[in-house]
């Protein structure tokens, strides 16, 4: 690793990224000629100077044991002079300068139970599904309506061939947020997995005045559904106003949200951040509710696989999932995927006229 000194004096915050760059990348920073995907999971980057680096992308489940991280670091020391990086989707990119080390590295990765892939070749319209961005879920978060890591593991196990190969017509970004507060990117993903609460919090007024501040608990509600209850010195909840966000539980542990029957999963489709071909778009509701069925969530996994396979079969080259749906029409989307259209798909928000289709040109 680089032995350069920090250009500043501080003991908090991340180190300057330039201190951790691979020497070839640092030398050619901003001076790259081209890159190409030479096979799924392996990228070749060529600089204007003629220098070449190879990237081997390995998928991870995000939550890793310390021993696994040490194993990954050992692989980097053995094959990459100690250089690697984590992507924003929890993949590990090993950085090599010796092409002959690619196959031995991949072999050792696969022997360790991991897979290589998650790349795409836009020039030839060959895309693979990369890893799923997700939130904390049951393992850490205090307001989840579903798990995160367990569902992501189950879904990616089912879609692993799409990760290891590049056989989709365009990007297909999948993300998961375990509740409506959505610290994940589910508002603008091709396929979004969103945990939802369906019941208001349980108010434990016998505990609430002893462990919570009533004013801050009342103020935490964005819909003004909570008001003080002078009789109990606690609070009351107007269930018609409650939107099940869990903010009150964040402020007051005497108002738990979790419910085994009321909590579950919804699926949303068609969102994207990119400006290519069409503008950015929000994800739209596809499946209103699926039950929490750990450890493998078969209903959720089956629905996502059906959406991906139907999209892969019917979309044009470079056509994102939302663009494909807009081309064939939402009626055909529900018909081809076998998803039932219900009253829950009809937006009843006050400003719903902004999102409702206001044309008679249906596409049956």
């Amino acid at each position: 690793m680089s032995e350069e000194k920090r250009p500043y004096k501080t003991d908090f915050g991340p180190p300057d990224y330039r201190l951790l760059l691979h020497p070839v990348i640092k030398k050619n920073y901003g001076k790259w000629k081209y890159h190409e995907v030479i096979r799924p999971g392996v990228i070749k980057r060529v600089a204007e100077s003629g220098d070449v680096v190879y990237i081997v992308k390995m998928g991870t489940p995000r939550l890793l044991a310390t021993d696994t991280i040490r194993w990954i670091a050992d692989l980097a020391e053995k094959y990459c002079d100690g250089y690697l990086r984590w992507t924003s989707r929890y993949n590990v990119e090993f950085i090599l300068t010796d092409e002959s080390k690619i196959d031995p590295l991949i072999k050792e990765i696969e022997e360790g139970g991991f897979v290589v892939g998650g790349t795409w070749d836009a020039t030839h319209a060959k895309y693979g599904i990369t890893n799923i961005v997700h939130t904390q879920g049951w393992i850490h978060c205090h307001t989840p309506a579903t798990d995160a890591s367990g569902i992501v593991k189950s879904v990616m196990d089912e879609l692993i061939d799409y990760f290891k190969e590049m056989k989709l017509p365009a990007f297909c970004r999948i993300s998961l947020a375990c509740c409506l507060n959505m610290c994940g990117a589910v508002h603008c993903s091709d396929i979004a997995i969103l945990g939802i609460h369906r019941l208001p919090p349980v108010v434990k007024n016998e505990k609430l005045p002893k462990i919570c501040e009533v004013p801050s608990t009342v103020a935490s509600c964005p819909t003004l559904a909570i008001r003080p209850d002078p009789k109990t010195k606690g609070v009351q909840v107007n269930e018609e106003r409650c939107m099940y966000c869990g903010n009150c539980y964040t402020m007051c542990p005497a108002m738990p949200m979790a419910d085994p029957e009321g909590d579950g999963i919804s699926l949303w489709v068609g969102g994207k951040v990119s400006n290519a071909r069409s503008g950015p778009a929000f994800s739209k509701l596809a499946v209103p509710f699926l039950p929490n069925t750990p450890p493998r969530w078969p209903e959720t996994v089956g629905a996502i696989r059906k959406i991906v396979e139907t999209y892969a079969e019917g979309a044009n080259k470079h056509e994102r999932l939302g663009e494909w749906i807009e081309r064939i029409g939402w009626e055909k989307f529900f018909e081809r995927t076998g998803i039932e259209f219900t009253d829950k798909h009809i937006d009843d928000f006050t400003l719903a006229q902004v999102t409702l289709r206001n044309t008679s040109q249906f596409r049956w």
Side-chain angles (χ1 to χ4, degrees):
M1 285 292 188
S2 173
E3 295 181 358
E4 294 183 40
K5 294 182 179 179
R6 289 173 180 256
Y8 50 85
K9 294 181 179 181
T10 180
D11 59 352
F12 62 88
D16 190 317
Y17 69 93
R18 290 168 294 186
L19 301 180
L20 305 176
L21 290 176
H22 189 286
V24 175
I25 294 177
K26 187 173 184 178
K27 172 187 173 184
N28 298 282
Y29 195 86
K31 300 176 182 179
W32 297 96
K33 189 175 182 180
Y34 69 91
H35 76 268
E36 60 178 325
V37 179
I38 57 179
R39 59 171 135 156
V42 182
I43 305 170
K44 178 182 179 181
R45 302 190 185 277
V46 180
E48 294 174 356
S49 64
D51 292 338
V52 178
V53 294
Y54 299 91
I55 307 297
V56 174
K57 181 178 285 191
M58 180 189 86
T60 78
R62 180 185 176 187
L63 296 180
L64 299 171
T66 306
D67 288 344
T68 304
I69 296 175
R70 289 195 179 105
W71 172 74
I72 293 172
D74 289 341
L75 289 180
E77 292 288 353
K78 183 176 180 180
Y79 295 101
C80 315
D81 300 320
Y83 290 93
L84 55 74
R85 80 178 191 100
W86 261 263
T87 72
S88 59
R89 285 184 172 262
Y90 326 128
N91 298 305
V92 177
E93 291 190 348
F94 294 96
I95 306 168
L96 304 87
T97 54
D98 186 351
E99 187 176 5
S100 66
K101 293 183 178 180
I102 294 176
D103 286 333
L105 172 59
I106 293 176
K107 181 181 179 182
E108 199 158 339
I109 288 172
E110 292 176 344
E111 288 175 350
F114 289 81
V115 292
V116 170
T119 52
W120 59 89
D121 184 352
T123 304
H124 300 94
K126 296 179 179 179
Y127 298 81
I129 283 182
T130 188
N131 223 336
I132 299 178
V133 166
H134 67 89
T135 54
Q136 302 296 330
W138 290 336
I139 197 167
H140 180 72
C141 186
H142 63 290
T143 59
T146 189
D147 191 25
S149 305
I151 298 174
V152 167
K153 168 65 174 171
S154 301
V155 171
M156 287 305 294
D157 281 352
E158 189 72 15
L159 301 179
I160 194 65
D161 289 341
Y162 290 99
F163 181 87
K164 294 164 65 176
E165 302 174 30
M166 301 185 296
K167 55 183 182 179
L168 287 177
F171 286 120
C172 186
R173 303 296 199 192
I174 305 177
S175 62
L176 182 148
C178 50
C179 78
L180 285 167
N181 289 316
M182 203 174 66
C183 55
V186 299
H187 62 293
C188 54
S189 297
D190 294 281
I191 299 176
I193 308 164
L194 175 62
I196 56 171
H197 297 289
R198 298 189 298 174
L199 297 173
V202 177
V203 182
K204 298 182 178 181
N205 275 330
E206 68 279 6
K207 295 182 179 180
L208 192 147
K210 303 174 184 177
I211 62 176
C212 307
E213 293 181 349
V214 172
S216 59
T217 303
V218 172
S220 70
C221 182
T223 60
L224 305 178
I226 302 175
R227 62 177 181 268
D229 183 2
K231 292 182 179 180
T232 62
K233 297 184 179 180
V235 299
Q236 295 176 337
V237 175
N238 182 342
E239 296 187 5
E240 292 184 358
R241 280 182 171 269
C242 180
M243 68 176 190
Y244 323 124
C245 67
N247 279 356
C248 54
Y249 182 59
T250 301
M251 294 301 299
C252 179
M255 299 182 68
M257 289 289 299
D259 182 89
E261 300 298 327
D263 295 350
I265 298 164
S266 59
L267 299 181
W268 304 66
V269 299
K272 73 185 190 81
V273 177
S274 168
N275 263 311
R277 294 174 58 92
S278 61
F282 287 124
S283 308
K284 296 182 179 179
L285 182 64
V287 181
F289 185 81
L290 293 166
N292 277 322
T293 50
R296 301 298 294 181
W297 281 270
E299 298 88 351
T300 300
V301 171
I304 293 173
R305 184 176 184 89
K306 180 64 176 177
I307 292 171
V308 171
E309 290 180 342
T310 306
Y311 160 67
E313 181 181 351
N316 295 328
K317 290 182 178 181
H318 307 294
E319 191 173 49
R320 297 286 289 266
L321 197 147
E323 295 167 339
W324 167 67
I325 294 173
E326 290 297 326
R327 176 170 62 83
I328 67 172
W330 282 92
E331 297 83 3
K332 286 293 183 183
F333 167 77
F334 284 106
E335 176 185 319
R336 294 182 184 182
T337 57
I339 297 172
E340 181 184 2
F341 184 88
T342 72
D343 61 320
K344 302 297 188 299
H345 289 91
I346 302 174
D347 193 350
D348 61 355
F349 178 57
T350 305
L351 302 177
Q353 66 269 23
V354 177
T355 61
L356 290 176
R357 183 170 62 188
N358 52 16
T359 174
S360 60
Q361 297 173 329
F362 288 83
R363 305 173 190 173
W364 294 105

